[in-house]
Amino acid sequence: SLSSSRHISIMVRISVLNDCLRSITNAERRGKRQVLIRPSSTVIIRFLQVMQKHEYIGEFEIVDDHRSGKIVVNLLGRLNKTGCISPRYDVGVDQYESWISRLLPSRQFGFLVVTSSAGIMDHEEARRKHTGGKLLGYFY
């Protein structure tokens, strides 16, 4: 009867992408060379590929542990901040500029990451392809 009266709360993951980006930012601020991310997801992998394309992070290795998977990311020390945008707002082609001024420190550097029917990409590529989409996050 004692166990039924005691309330046990369990932490749940709201956003896997948010956890991932938060741990990357924290590791980068601590000056770490590598960071382990778990669980893995397709969205996280695509987001990391965009960051890697712009040389904000180094190589990353996907570890298959027969569960949700892990990712080991090599850090280069170039990343100032990365974040997840929740809820995933709709962004039209003409709205990128207002979101850039809202989220990024400068127009010269930093990227918004957008998911669209053409895949997950940064805002510059989305602008070139003339496609809108949903805002996933940002990094600079």
Side-chain angles (χ1 to χ4, degrees), residues 81-100:
K81 189 171 186 207
T82 175
C84 176
I85 303 299
S86 179
R88 293 179 178 172
Y89 292 106
D90 287 324
V91 184
V93 185
D94 53 337
Q95 297 172 316
Y96 286 125
E97 209 51 58
S98 68
W99 280 101
I100 289 166

Side-chain angles (χ1 to χ4, degrees), residues 27-91:
E28 192 79 69
R29 285 186 179 148
R30 291 288 312 274
K32 302 270 196 250
R33 306 301 301 146
Q34 280 188 329
V35 61
L36 178 70
I37 290 160
R38 47 172 286 271
S40 163
S41 79
T42 315
V43 174
I44 288 175
I45 292 165
R46 296 276 183 271
F47 199 103
L48 292 175
Q49 282 170 345
V50 173
M51 288 168 73
Q52 190 181 35
K53 190 177 84 179
H54 295 291
E55 296 177 354
Y56 277 82
I57 60 171
E59 297 290 314
F60 61 91
E61 186 183 353
I62 299 156
V63 182
D64 181 27
D65 58 358
H66 297 298
R67 288 177 193 85
S68 54
K70 294 176 185 158
I71 306 172
V72 178
V73 182
N74 293 328
L75 302 174
L76 302 176
R78 279 202 58 200
L79 199 63
N80 295 314
K81 189 171 186 207
T82 175
C84 176
I85 303 299
S86 179
R88 293 179 178 172
Y89 292 106
D90 287 324
V91 184

